[in-house]
Amino acid sequence: MSSIEKALYARLQSVAAVTDLVSTRVFPVTLPQNITYPCVSYQIISAQRRSVFGRDTGDVRARIQIDSWGEKVASAAGARVTAEAVRGALQRWSGASADVTISAIFLEDERHEYDDKTGLYRVSQDYFVWYKES
């Protein structure tokens, strides 16, 4: 797990509005089998690192996808409420951890999807995260 993923996980786990809904059910990339819903998964989609005059600055702009999941259409409201809690925890947040300093986080895009084969409802949010690596 990268430093930015650790920082985002720590942030989501520090906000009661999120943990009241999902407890510790926040996972990198994929969900485990037989999971309880609602839950959250996250992954880095892209990361652009800046170089200036032949040196790396440590400045990064990453696009991070965070998915809030609910089971069956009847639980779509759970996924929506969870996505709103995630947005409340991250939108315009800045902070530092041991390895990264987050300058700002902004919600860029949001999609609502239902997969009738799996019976899962998902709110998928893409965030731009500006941070500095140590």
Side-chain angles (χ1 to χ4, degrees):
M1 184 182 303
S2 71
S3 297
I4 190 61
E5 289 172 305
K6 289 177 188 174
L8 290 173
Y9 177 85
R11 173 63 182 166
L12 292 174
Q13 287 294 285
S14 73
V15 175
V18 175
T19 58
D20 288 350
L21 295 166
V22 302
S23 184
T24 59
R25 296 184 307 274
V26 178
F27 305 99
V29 188
T30 61
L31 301 177
Q33 290 186 349
N34 303 317
I35 187 70
T36 300
Y37 295 93
C39 60
V40 172
S41 63
Y42 59 91
Q43 64 182 319
I44 296 173
I45 301 301
S46 64
Q48 299 173 341
R49 287 170 171 78
R50 180 185 275 172
S51 295
V52 177
F53 298 113
R55 71 173 186 86
D56 297 329
T57 65
D59 294 322
V60 182
R61 184 187 83 158
R63 184 179 197 117
I64 297 179
Q65 180 177 316
I66 300 181
D67 294 321
S68 298
W69 298 88
E71 189 174 32
K72 311 228 182 293
V73 173
S75 297
R80 287 187 195 113
V81 169
T82 301
E84 284 302 307
V86 167
R87 186 174 63 81
L90 297 181
Q91 181 72 6
R92 298 190 185 281
W93 181 72
S94 61
S97 71
D99 299 325
V100 297
T101 300
I102 297 173
S103 302
I105 300 176
F106 297 100
L107 179 62
E108 170 67 15
D109 191 28
E110 182 175 289
R111 298 164 305 283
H112 296 241
E113 303 169 344
Y114 176 72
D115 184 336
D116 58 353
K117 289 182 181 180
T118 63
L120 295 177
Y121 187 86
R122 172 176 68 169
V123 177
S124 185
Q125 298 171 313
D126 288 355
Y127 290 88
F128 279 122
V129 180
W130 282 266
Y131 65 97
K132 188 164 200 76
E133 296 174 315
S134 303

